[in-house]
Amino acid sequence: MCKRRQILLGFTAIAGGVFALRGAFSSPHAGGPYEVNHTDGEWRKLLSPQQYYILRQAGTERAFSNPLDHEKRTGAYLCAGCKLPLFSSQTKFDSGTGWPSFWKPLDNAIEKTSDTSLGMTRDEVHCRRCGGHLGHVFDDGPPPTGLRYCMNGTAMIFVSKI
């Protein structure tokens, strides 16, 4: 029993390390040039530490940890880095994954790049205007697109329609 627990704890530590290293060495600047550019120091001053980690280092927040996952009001989700509108509340759905999910972005809001970390290929989603990492898109979403844009809530801010 003790060996089994040690093995499980070891695998957990390795998985956690992979996620931490992914954030530390990934760059959301795969595309570009971008309309909104800042030095690393400027980004650190403009963003909270958690926003910087996600938007500028391609990190990921814990599932079920962000209030935007449960946001139900009518409005828009904007990039926390440059305030570009990214998603409408009309395309948000509860995916049960613990991250805000959408079946369609707003026109001209995002760009995608190939992410081969973690031993698989995924489509990484970036803000079109500042290059900030937002999350990933998967092909297991609802109609009409069949897509699930799985976004980090910390990478966005919500603005309700008045």
Side-chain angles (χ1 to χ4, degrees):
M1 183 69 166
C2 186
K3 283 188 177 185
R4 182 176 176 194
R5 183 175 294 148
Q6 289 172 331
I7 290 170
L8 287 172
L9 287 173
F11 281 130
T12 302
I14 290 170
V18 167
F19 280 108
L21 287 175
R22 165 143 169 61
F25 295 109
S26 295
S27 171
H29 309 287
Y34 296 103
E35 295 169 40
V36 175
N37 290 293
H38 296 290
T39 66
D40 187 62
E42 290 169 337
W43 280 119
R44 286 181 185 273
K45 288 178 184 174
L46 291 168
L47 302 170
S48 73
Q50 184 71 0
Q51 288 172 326
Y52 178 84
Y53 169 67
I54 292 170
L55 286 164
R56 308 318 306 166
Q57 294 182 310
T60 301
E61 66 196 9
R62 276 187 358 263
F64 303 101
S65 67
N66 192 282
L68 290 187
D69 185 35
H70 304 289
E71 181 60 62
K72 304 285 188 216
R73 294 175 291 169
T74 300
Y77 295 81
L78 284 57
C79 174
C82 70
K83 311 304 183 270
L84 177 71
L86 303 168
F87 296 94
S88 166
S89 61
Q90 294 177 339
T91 64
K92 187 173 188 280
F93 69 99
D94 184 4
S95 66
T97 61
W99 288 280
S101 297
F102 305 85
W103 51 265
K104 177 185 169 189
L106 294 172
D107 291 340
N108 200 29
I110 60 120
E111 61 180 26
K112 294 185 279 185
T113 58
S114 183
D115 173 3
T116 57
S117 66
L118 305 179
M120 64 182 100
T121 301
R122 301 179 292 170
D123 288 327
E124 189 170 359
V125 179
H126 303 274
C127 172
R128 186 244 340 135
R129 186 158 59 190
C130 72
H133 169 78
L134 302 169
H136 293 84
V137 61
F138 303 95
D139 61 1
D140 60 358
T145 64
L147 299 175
R148 173 175 53 96
Y149 287 84
C150 189
M151 303 292 99
N152 288 287
T154 303
M156 301 182 295
I157 56 175
F158 177 75
V159 178
S160 64
K161 302 249 177 159
I162 299 172

